[in-house]
Amino acid sequence: MDTIDPKAEALNILRRNPLQAALTSNTIRGFHISKQFSDNSASITSLDYDPSGNKCITTSSDESLRIYDCVGGKRQQVLYSKKYGCNLAQFTSQAGCVAYASTKINDTIRYLSYDTNQYIRYFVGHSRRVTSLQRSPTAATVLSAALDGIVNVWDLGAVKPVSTVTPVGGVGERGIAAAFDPSGMVIAVAVGSAELQLYDVREVAKGPFKSQSVLGVAGHALVAGIRFVPPLGDHLLLAMTDGSCHLFDSFSLQHRASLRDPSTRGAVNGGNPVAANGTGGVDWALSQMQDAHLGQNVTVTPDGKTVVVGGQNGGISFWDISGCTGAEALDYSTPAFQPPVLAPDGVWNGSHDGPVGVCAFNPHIMECITGAQSLAIWTTPSSY
Amino acid sequence: MPDAAVLSFASKPCIPSEVGLKHESQAEGLGYLSTPRSLVSPGSGPDAGNVPATGSVPGANANGAPPGADRLGQTYKHNLSSSSSSSSDSKGRDPRHSAQGRAWRDKQPRVLGPRLLRASLLEQDACSIADPSLSAIVVSGMTPLVTRDRLRMHFEAYGAVRNIQLDLDPSTGVSLGVARVEFVSAPDAPNSRIAAAEAIQRGHVVQPGNPPATLASDVGNYFTELSGTAKRGLEEKRTSAATNDYERDHRSGAMRKSSLLSSRADIRREADPPRRESSERSAIRVSRSGISFSSTTEADVLHHFKRFRPTGVIRDGGYWYVLFSSTRDAHRCQCLSDKQPFAGRAIDVELYEPADKGRLAELDRLARGRHRDSRPELEFAPVADVGSAVAGVGNLAKHLPRAQKARVFDSSDPALYELARELLLREVSSSFIQDIQRRRLQALVSDFAQLPHRQRATDIHRRTESAAPTRRIAADTEAVLKKMAQSRIGLSDSSATIGSTLADLPSFRRGGDSTHSSKPTENGPAQRQRRPTAGDSEELIDALSNAKSLGSKRTLARRRTLVSGRASNVGTHTPSIASGVSDDDSDDSEDDDDEGVDGDDYLDLAIVPQRQSGDQKRGAKLQKGGAALKRHRRASQSQTASSQPGTPLATSLDDYDQIGAIVAPELPVNASGCARTEGYRAIEPSAKGHYLAQVHSQLHWAASFFGGTDAAVASRLRGFAERTKGGANGCGRSAAPGDVSSRGSRGGLGTTNSDSLYFSLSHASTVSSSRTHRAANRKLRVEFSMGVRSMGDGGGGSSNAVGGVAAKVASGDAAGSGNGLGPGMGNSGSELLRFNQLESRTKRLRFSKSAIHDWGLFASEAIFQGEFVIEYIGERIRSQLADLREEQYEREGIGSSYLFRVDGEIVIDATKCGNVARFVNHSCEPNCIAKTIVADGTKRIVIYASHDIQVGEEVTYDYKFPPEDVKIPCLCGSVNCRGYLN
């Protein structure tokens, strides 16, 4: 049978069209900082790309939201939310609007039109700090999780949540994080270091259709963030407060691998005995999670093969997880399967001068943006 | 299956459809969310219950399904297997296994190879910390003739090119037709990737006329790959070519290029080590029957092939043999000169590869013996070439003797001589005769008719002077022709006849002449380059006849420049215009070497435009005009033009033609024939008026309005016209302001100065009716606006000029009404023009003592109801300032108030400057009404008649003062008088 070499095919395409770039292990290795913005006076706390990948919005501890043009690499707009603070800004399916979590006054989610700089709506429903906020990849909804132990799905047109879950039945003093899967049908919720739950978006109230205890995967570290591995969302990536990441099968919730950077290990107080007792309280959990940047420093490339994590020392490490996600790579079904602990496959050439709080790979453009206090756009040289 | 996947991957569009996909799936997601639960309730869907794992997922078990597709089936299986074991679920089902979930999954693009993303197109700016991004494309399939410069030129249209790496054969330096072009992002250029993409999309035609090049982005070491292939191919060809016989290869066009490469390559290789002596001796041969070679000498042939470095030439049997020290040279020579013209004909060059090498050696020996003396000449040839490359047509003659041996006319064919002679004679004589007929005679006759007797005498003298050079040409030409003919046949007679013809034509020299000054620089080189290779007779003849006809054309142009541009210059060079002209020429062709200049010289001398002397004299006369030189020159130009109808000069000066025709009077003649000898001499006003009047009658309506011939009017107008012209010519600063002021000071006195022009128009010429008055004003307005427009072109200073004129007009008007108005009516001409627009509608009015109060304004013509009477003109000031001024005026004792409020901000103050409208008195039963209108963007106060006004009736309107405590009594005396103004 005459097989076509996909790589050769890709090469052909690339040769015909220089406006495209192929994501390969080589290109990942070749990333370097092309542009750097030192706009912010405090560290950047979150970054989100709009669905087209042409724009991104950052939030910062200096209470500014900045919108950048990712194509040309230019700052487009600066908004301030001095009164409420800002974190976890998310573009929504509604053009020109952004939802973000407050950090001051109350824990309302603000829905802002950045075109007019006017608030459209406040999503009221959380009584503690929001730790996860994500738009639905397919619908006009927003998912939020907060330390009050509640996961809400908001319709962009309504002030009240369309559905609410309380996965832990109490305050989330062990941390909580939630994410949509790429199809927008499933919500994954990670509660503390204990449990991973999957909900059907339409039937949230019925409880998780699948849950799995993940206790012991990361010691006593709390969950900092959760995200599905694109493009299909077959895997879940759990970012923990100790800086490690854990790869799960998103169907069986089986633990597949752990990603640990030995150099940054212990930089975060992961094995705190207080945490072990679970008596640290919500504030402690919050500080833990914020130290771990709410998982914002973990990103997966659009092909789902590389995990890029911003480290506490300013470096950017990457893991090639294609060996763990491939169907045939490992025989997971054997009970004796032990998830491997992977060391980073490499470190990007260049670094920030502080902890990298934000790391996000553009879903459509060969760009990765990282942020400490400064914002850096990483690209590859064009010869790949 | 993989095929389909790859296809979808390949055809997956880059940006837009991604977004589209998003929308689509979004809609799908909404559908998913809004689907009623009953529809997907357990048992109803196809995936309900524990359907056998692989079977339930369509396509999942297909042969060789990609991992993405496989995944679902697997996990499903996995779920099944694990569901029984540990999971604490079973509260619902995984929606990803539902129909929608699978549909979504199917829609996702399957990527087998590396995932393609859009390349980042970051702009280079202050935030960039990395080097500007580079993007390289590989150009392949070019001909070897495409150079780096060509590539750079070509691709710089798409973006900033940083580097071009043109792959060269390492041994020869010949392009392999593969290049790498690096685009770089620059602040003012598009991103390098965009540039590269554009180039790839549209830049195929690197070299027009050749098949388009292949362009690709340099991804994955494409360039090294390609150039490696090219080099390897070259190597292979070279080795194969070495073994094969070249001849066959060379015949076929396809192989020609490669052999060219290889042969050149060998030359390069040869260059470094000293030539191996005759070990590689080889030869080409050219059939003698292919061309009439009978008289072609070895030197000629050697010269023809000299760039291939032949070692010798020998004629033997029916062939010319050209010997080379290496086979490669021979190959190269064969390859490049086969079918190429030699002495006007394409020759067949073939490699001579005799069976026994002894034959070659023999030929070589023979050639060496013969060419020992012809060699040096060959060495000299390049030098001669360089000379000819810069020399003009004239130096052809100089080179001929040298090159004569073979190059140009070395045919013993008598027919050729005959032909050459005939052609030459025909061409030369016909062009001469045409020339004479067309211009010389005519011009000469008119010149002679117009020139004073004395001038004629000098002219004749000059002609005799210049006859000498002419003879020189004749002699030269003769020599040239002789040499060309090599005096084998009786061409000497014919050349002598030509020569004598030329000699007999001295007075018509102009025809053949100035031709030539710029010609050598323009099209000389091309011609000259051709000469060494193809020295046919036609070419020479062509060159000569070209020179003639071109010359005649040029004469015209030259005369024109001479007249218009060099009038002053001409004066100085009276006795030797020829030298003046050639001065100019040598400027043009500075880089000419000596020979070239020589050649130029004699032709220039030959061409001395006799006519120029006439022009020159006129120019000299004109110079006496002094200040009015420019106008003068125009006039004289037009005269020239009219005297020579049909020349471009005349057509270009159409406008002045008529004027010129009128300007008949003789201008004073200088005793010495040169204006400079007399220093400055003013043109008398009468003389000036004579032509200026004519000029102005064409330019200005007013002359015709006043009867057209009145010199006084004309001179009055002159100021205006000159200034307008000055503005139009951009040199208008001149004396306009000063002029204005000086004239202004005289303004009150004389009636003949231009300042009072307007006054005389509007007031003095009482005979004119109101209608003509308005018409005159309209025309004036048009004139002004035209003047303003041309001033706009002319430059800054000019606006003052017309502004000044307008101001004068305005002040003249005011003066006419008995009040000297100060300056400051308006600073810019345009404002005054606007004023003028309304002013033109003004009725004729006079002011005198009024029964109502002090002075009043009275109608001098009947005014009908609703007609415009006059505009209230004054300084436009702010109301605050008006208040201050009112106080000030009161302090100064100016009792009357001439402040007119336009609106809340603007007040018109006519106290110190304004027009007669301020004398209009108040009446409680007025016959006029004051209105505010907007004219030309500003609010104006105009007074319209509210009733019919008889001649002599006082014009009044209602002041409409606001009520105040201090009442001003009204003296209007009307029946319904309110008693007070306020």
Side-chain angles (χ1 to χ4, degrees):
Chain A
M1 195 173 125
D2 191 24
T3 54
I4 294 172
D5 181 6
K7 278 199 173 177
E9 194 63 21
L11 206 58
N12 260 340
I13 291 171
L14 293 182
R15 281 174 183 172
R16 281 203 300 272
N17 186 1
L19 295 182
Q20 287 195 317
L23 203 52
T24 64
S25 56
N26 253 345
T27 40
I28 295 291
R29 217 171 289 278
F31 265 81
H32 63 268
I33 300 180
S34 276
K35 290 190 124 179
Q36 194 152 19
F37 296 87
S38 302
D39 299 339
N40 291 100
S41 57
S43 60
I44 294 167
T45 53
S46 82
L47 187 147
D48 181 49
Y49 293 99
D50 82 326
S52 69
N54 291 340
K55 269 191 278 192
C56 71
I57 186 165
T58 64
T59 59
S60 165
S61 308
D62 64 7
E63 283 144 7
S64 67
L65 297 102
R66 285 160 203 270
I67 297 174
Y68 294 87
D69 167 21
C70 298
V71 178
K74 288 174 297 186
R75 198 184 67 210
Q76 272 188 339
Q77 204 177 346
V78 185
L79 304 157
Y80 289 97
S81 177
K82 295 278 187 193
K83 187 175 175 185
Y84 303 113
C86 55
N87 197 359
L88 298 170
Q90 286 275 314
F91 287 102
T92 64
S93 56
Q94 208 172 341
C97 299
V98 66
Y100 67 91
S102 312
T103 56
K104 291 203 271 189
I105 297 188
N106 56 26
D107 300 300
T108 302
I109 296 165
R110 321 264 162 196
Y111 193 37
L112 174 73
S113 162
Y114 58 81
D115 285 341
T116 58
N117 201 8
Q118 281 179 331
Y119 289 109
I120 298 170
R121 206 159 281 112
Y122 291 162
F123 298 125
V124 187
H126 287 298
S127 55
R128 296 277 183 170
R129 190 65 65 84
V130 174
T131 57
S132 289
L133 187 65
Q134 194 194 359
R135 68 167 174 271
S136 162
T138 54
T141 53
V142 172
L143 171 74
S144 67
L147 285 173
D148 56 7
I150 296 174
V151 176
N152 280 331
V153 179
W154 310 83
D155 191 297
L156 291 178
V159 178
K160 290 293 173 188
V162 287
S163 47
T164 303
V165 203
T166 48
V168 283
V171 287
E173 56 188 16
R174 297 200 56 84
I176 188 167
F180 271 119
D181 94 316
S183 67
M185 297 174 183
V186 174
I187 296 170
V189 179
V191 185
S193 54
E195 203 170 58
L196 207 49
Q197 297 175 339
L198 295 177
Y199 293 83
D200 186 334
V201 173
R202 297 168 304 169
E203 298 170 334
V204 169
K206 286 172 85 178
F209 63 83
K210 180 104 183 151
S211 63
Q212 177 83 34
S213 166
V214 294
L215 202 61
V217 162
H220 298 294
L222 308 185
V223 65
I226 185 171
R227 52 197 60 206
F228 280 86
V229 174
L232 294 177
D234 290 339
H235 294 84
L236 272 172
L237 200 62
L238 212 56
M240 307 304 283
T241 53
D242 66 352
S244 66
C245 293
H246 301 276
L247 189 71
F248 291 87
D249 187 300
S250 69
F251 287 89
S252 64
L253 298 184
Q254 194 183 23
H255 191 203
R256 286 290 170 85
S258 298
L259 315 180
R260 280 183 197 279
D261 188 350
S263 61
T264 57
R265 191 174 182 179
V268 177
N269 187 11
N272 194 318
V274 182
N277 301 334
T279 55
V282 173
D283 292 337
W284 175 82
L286 177 64
S287 72
Q288 287 282 303
M289 289 180 73
Q290 279 180 338
D291 282 347
H293 313 292
L294 299 177
Q296 289 284 321
N297 60 338
V298 177
T299 189
V300 187
T301 56
D303 62 352
K305 290 177 179 166
T306 310
V307 176
V308 182
V309 179
Q312 291 293 331
N313 54 5
I316 316 284
S317 327
F318 61 88
W319 281 262
D320 187 350
I321 58 166
S322 56
C324 310
T325 55
E328 303 84 13
L330 296 162
D331 188 6
Y332 302 110
S333 49
T334 56
F337 169 72
Q338 280 297 317
V341 177
L342 305 177
D345 286 298
V347 177
W348 276 357
N349 192 15
S351 67
H352 288 280
D353 49 4
V356 180
V358 165
C359 184
F361 207 100
N362 193 304
H364 300 297
I365 303 178
M366 187 66 90
E367 272 174 22
C368 185
I369 300 185
T370 62
Q373 185 168 327
S374 61
L375 188 83
I377 304 182
W378 302 70
T379 58
T380 54
S382 62
S383 54
Y384 291 103
Chain B
M1 233 8 221
D3 285 29
V6 167
L7 277 182
S8 73
F9 152 73
S11 63
K12 183 168 117 49
C14 194
I15 311 152
S17 82
E18 200 89 316
V19 178
L21 194 76
K22 210 85 206 177
H23 286 304
E24 213 177 318
S25 57
Q26 211 151 340
E28 182 66 27
L30 285 168
Y32 172 71
L33 276 178
S34 58
T35 310
R37 270 169 212 190
S38 60
L39 283 184
V40 289
S41 63
S44 68
D47 52 345
N50 291 336
V51 184
T54 51
S56 74
V57 185
N61 57 349
N63 211 2
D70 211 10
R71 204 48 205 116
L72 192 54
Q74 276 221 348
T75 44
Y76 204 83
K77 189 168 30 175
H78 193 79
N79 268 354
L80 286 178
S81 62
S82 63
S83 62
S84 57
S85 59
S86 65
S87 295
S88 57
D89 59 342
S90 75
K91 276 181 191 169
R93 291 160 302 103
D94 192 335
R96 287 170 290 184
H97 292 306
S98 69
Q100 282 99 341
R102 283 203 304 274
W104 177 84
R105 197 168 268 266
D106 286 342
K107 260 188 214 155
Q108 300 306 305
R110 287 172 196 162
V111 181
L112 287 184
R115 190 179 182 88
L116 293 186
L117 300 176
R118 284 149 57 194
S120 77
L121 305 170
L122 299 182
E123 287 169 18
Q124 194 72 16
D125 58 23
C127 291
S128 303
I129 61 166
D131 291 337
S133 80
L134 293 173
S135 199
I137 61 169
V138 178
V139 190
S140 56
M142 295 180 294
T143 68
L145 300 176
V146 178
T147 60
R148 280 176 56 144
D149 290 339
R150 165 84 201 136
L151 283 173
R152 185 175 286 273
M153 220 169 69
H154 179 70
F155 285 111
E156 262 174 358
Y158 301 102
V161 176
R162 193 182 77 159
N163 188 27
I164 291 181
Q165 194 180 342
L166 183 60
D167 216 2
L168 303 177
D169 185 330
S171 54
T172 61
V174 173
S175 157
L176 292 178
V178 180
R180 182 175 189 270
V181 180
E182 251 176 36
F183 289 101
V184 68
S185 299
D188 51 349
N191 183 288
S192 60
R193 277 179 189 273
I194 297 174
E198 285 242 322
I200 286 175
Q201 221 168 25
R202 303 198 268 113
H204 294 278
V205 186
V206 177
Q207 200 183 22
N210 286 318
T214 313
L215 296 161
S217 170
D218 185 21
V219 178
N221 296 327
Y222 193 41
F223 176 64
T224 45
E225 193 181 299
L226 271 183
S227 72
T229 318
K231 276 174 196 163
R232 246 175 286 122
L234 192 75
E235 208 61 44
E236 277 165 23
K237 266 178 200 159
R238 195 175 294 160
T239 50
S240 72
T243 57
N244 282 344
D245 57 332
Y246 272 70
E247 206 147 344
R248 206 173 48 214
D249 290 359
H250 293 230
R251 296 272 177 229
S252 65
M255 296 299 285
R256 200 165 173 137
K257 201 190 299 170
S258 64
S259 60
L260 188 141
L261 293 183
S262 60
S263 58
R264 267 203 217 161
D266 295 329
I267 292 157
R268 175 66 69 87
R269 200 178 295 157
E270 200 87 75
D272 298 333
R275 251 169 218 234
R276 279 158 286 174
E277 193 50 43
S278 69
S279 60
E280 267 191 63
R281 192 178 301 129
S282 81
I284 58 155
R285 67 178 182 188
V286 183
S287 168
R288 284 175 66 187
S289 59
I291 185 170
S292 58
F293 262 45
S294 49
S295 71
T296 307
T297 64
E298 286 88 347
D300 194 14
V301 177
L302 205 54
H303 181 82
H304 180 71
F305 292 111
K306 76 175 190 307
R307 58 194 168 124
F308 306 108
R309 285 179 279 173
T311 54
V313 173
I314 188 77
R315 184 172 46 180
D316 192 40
Y319 292 98
W320 284 99
Y321 295 90
V322 183
L323 302 170
F324 297 93
S325 57
S326 78
T327 339
R328 322 224 183 268
D329 278 352
H331 284 314
R332 183 163 153 261
C333 175
Q334 192 275 333
C335 174
L336 290 181
S337 54
D338 191 17
K339 309 287 185 214
Q340 295 302 306
F342 171 48
R345 285 198 215 181
I347 49 168
D348 286 324
V349 180
E350 53 189 42
L351 273 177
Y352 180 58
E353 287 170 323
D356 67 315
K357 297 284 172 188
R359 168 85 173 130
L360 275 180
E362 188 191 331
L363 287 175
D364 191 32
R365 191 162 34 77
L366 277 170
R368 273 163 206 281
R370 292 194 59 145
H371 286 290
R372 197 142 294 151
D373 38 15
S374 71
R375 257 323 253 254
E377 206 149 349
L378 199 63
E379 302 295 0
F380 188 72
V383 184
D385 267 352
V386 173
S388 68
V390 283
V393 175
N395 58 16
L396 181 59
K398 307 223 170 215
H399 293 302
L400 278 173
R402 265 182 234 135
Q404 148 261 350
K405 293 212 168 55
R407 274 202 272 153
V408 183
F409 279 87
D410 210 3
S411 170
S412 57
D413 192 352
L416 186 62
Y417 276 101
E418 205 51 43
L419 185 72
R421 202 188 69 154
E422 250 175 57
L423 284 172
L424 201 60
L425 271 176
R426 199 193 303 150
E427 288 290 326
V428 170
S429 58
S430 69
S431 68
F432 265 72
I433 289 164
Q434 272 176 13
D435 214 351
I436 290 159
Q437 283 176 342
R438 203 182 304 144
R439 273 185 308 261
R440 310 291 153 244
L441 219 50
Q442 200 179 349
L444 269 181
V445 167
S446 62
D447 268 7
F448 270 83
Q450 287 195 0
L451 282 174
H453 184 69
R454 190 181 51 215
Q455 294 298 115
R456 224 174 289 158
T458 56
D459 209 11
I460 289 161
H461 171 62
R462 201 171 301 133
R463 223 179 301 147
T464 52
E465 263 184 0
S466 49
T470 321
R471 273 188 210 116
R472 214 172 92 209
I473 319 170
D476 278 359
T477 320
E478 200 174 347
V480 170
L481 290 170
K482 250 187 224 157
K483 281 159 198 159
M484 283 184 335
Q486 264 203 310
S487 63
R488 213 179 277 184
I489 311 221
L491 185 61
S492 52
D493 323 31
S494 64
S495 63
T497 53
I498 296 175
S500 59
T501 320
L502 289 172
D504 290 343
L505 289 171
S507 39
F508 306 114
R509 265 166 297 150
R510 283 151 77 234
D513 103 290
S514 54
T515 35
H516 152 324
S517 47
S518 54
K519 182 170 186 263
T521 52
E522 277 171 17
N523 43 9
Q527 244 172 356
R528 264 173 250 125
Q529 278 172 1
R530 266 175 60 209
R531 208 183 307 145
T533 52
D536 43 347
S537 60
E538 278 111 330
E539 193 173 334
L540 182 72
I541 292 166
D542 277 354
L544 281 179
S545 61
N546 275 350
K548 296 293 177 216
S549 57
L550 218 139
S552 55
K553 274 180 223 144
R554 238 156 252 267
T555 325
L556 256 189
R558 174 161 305 281
R559 189 176 325 121
R560 190 166 167 190
T561 56
L562 190 91
V563 172
S564 59
R566 246 194 296 154
S568 59
N569 192 16
V570 168
T572 57
H573 296 293
T574 338
S576 58
I577 304 168
S579 70
V581 174
S582 64
D583 272 357
D584 194 48
D585 291 343
S586 59
D587 284 351
D588 289 349
S589 50
E590 267 178 346
D591 51 342
D592 281 10
D593 63 0
D594 291 283
E595 291 168 339
V597 171
D598 279 355
D600 279 353
D601 267 351
Y602 86 73
L603 272 173
D604 270 283
L605 289 172
I607 300 157
V608 172
Q610 199 177 328
R611 178 58 196 262
Q612 276 167 8
S613 62
D615 286 340
Q616 185 192 4
K617 256 161 257 153
R618 205 163 294 119
K621 280 180 240 153
L622 290 181
Q623 276 220 313
K624 293 174 204 159
L629 181 65
K630 196 180 295 168
R631 182 141 312 288
H632 227 132
R633 209 181 294 142
R634 283 238 168 126
S636 75
Q637 260 179 358
S638 60
Q639 192 184 11
T640 327
S642 60
S643 71
Q644 251 184 309
T647 60
L649 202 57
T651 58
S652 75
L653 290 167
D654 257 354
D655 299 345
Y656 293 93
D657 209 2
Q658 221 183 333
I659 306 169
I662 302 166
V663 184
E666 289 295 322
L667 292 163
V669 174
N670 300 310
S672 66
C674 174
R676 296 237 166 159
T677 57
E678 298 187 9
Y680 173 80
R681 192 179 75 187
I683 293 181
E684 283 163 27
S686 60
K688 228 188 245 181
H690 204 94
Y691 61 83
L692 283 176
Q694 310 300 329
V695 172
H696 292 148
S697 72
Q698 302 296 318
L699 294 175
H700 203 276
W701 60 274
S704 58
F705 178 69
F706 283 103
T709 49
D710 189 328
V713 171
S715 66
R716 246 183 275 142
L717 285 169
R718 184 199 48 204
F720 162 69
E722 261 179 1
R723 258 166 264 139
T724 319
K725 280 290 151 194
N729 292 336
C731 51
R733 189 102 210 171
S734 57
D739 208 16
V740 169
S741 59
S742 65
R743 283 168 190 278
S745 64
R746 269 183 277 136
L749 310 172
T751 50
T752 55
N753 64 41
S754 62
D755 294 355
S756 53
L757 166 65
Y758 189 76
F759 169 65
S760 69
L761 286 178
S762 56
H763 299 276
S765 60
T766 48
V767 285
S768 66
S769 70
S770 148
R771 171 187 283 242
T772 53
H773 174 76
R774 278 199 302 274
N777 271 306
R778 220 166 19 241
K779 285 183 182 171
L780 182 64
R781 212 185 312 141
V782 170
E783 285 292 325
F784 269 121
S785 62
M786 276 164 59
V788 166
R789 216 173 298 133
S790 59
M791 275 190 308
D793 301 334
S798 53
S799 73
N800 283 342
V802 167
V805 174
K808 264 181 288 160
V809 171
S811 64
D813 178 31
S817 52
N819 280 275
L821 290 177
M825 283 289 304
N827 296 325
S828 73
S830 56
E831 194 178 321
L832 281 151
L833 288 175
R834 266 186 260 121
F835 144 75
N836 197 49
Q837 225 168 338
L838 284 179
E839 187 65 16
S840 68
R841 296 166 62 191
T842 304
K843 297 294 174 191
R844 284 188 292 119
L845 304 161
R846 62 185 172 81
F847 68 95
S848 61
K849 277 291 179 185
S850 160
I852 299 173
H853 180 251
D854 215 352
W855 295 95
L857 197 64
F858 297 86
S860 297
E861 63 179 298
I863 300 168
F864 298 103
Q865 180 181 353
E867 278 194 313
F868 177 95
V869 179
I870 192 168
E871 184 191 0
Y872 192 92
I873 291 173
E875 274 183 273
R876 300 173 68 80
I877 56 175
R878 289 173 299 118
S879 56
Q880 289 94 330
L881 184 59
D883 293 342
L884 286 174
R885 283 198 180 176
E886 198 172 10
E887 288 174 22
Q888 191 190 343
Y889 293 152
E890 275 175 16
R891 275 201 305 277
E892 286 173 13
I894 301 173
S896 308
S897 168
Y898 298 114
L899 297 164
F900 202 131
R901 180 171 292 277
V902 181
D903 54 19
E905 291 167 21
I906 302 291
V907 172
I908 291 181
D909 178 12
T911 312
K912 292 277 170 80
C913 70
N915 66 351
V916 291
R918 63 179 148 175
F919 297 115
V920 178
N921 278 322
H922 167 83
S923 171
C924 294
E925 266 187 9
N927 53 14
C928 287
I929 185 165
K931 287 182 179 174
T932 307
I933 65 163
V934 177
D936 294 326
T938 53
K939 280 184 179 174
R940 312 291 189 83
I941 292 165
V942 290
I943 296 164
Y944 287 95
S946 57
H947 300 96
D948 292 352
I949 302 169
Q950 306 301 318
V951 175
E953 193 180 330
E954 184 172 6
V955 176
T956 56
Y957 65 91
D958 192 347
Y959 280 2
K960 289 179 181 169
F961 279 165
E964 281 178 30
D965 293 334
V966 184
K967 296 291 181 186
I968 303 170
C970 178
L971 305 169
C972 70
S974 62
V975 183
N976 298 322
C977 182
R978 297 193 292 269
Y980 298 100
L981 266 63
N982 51 3

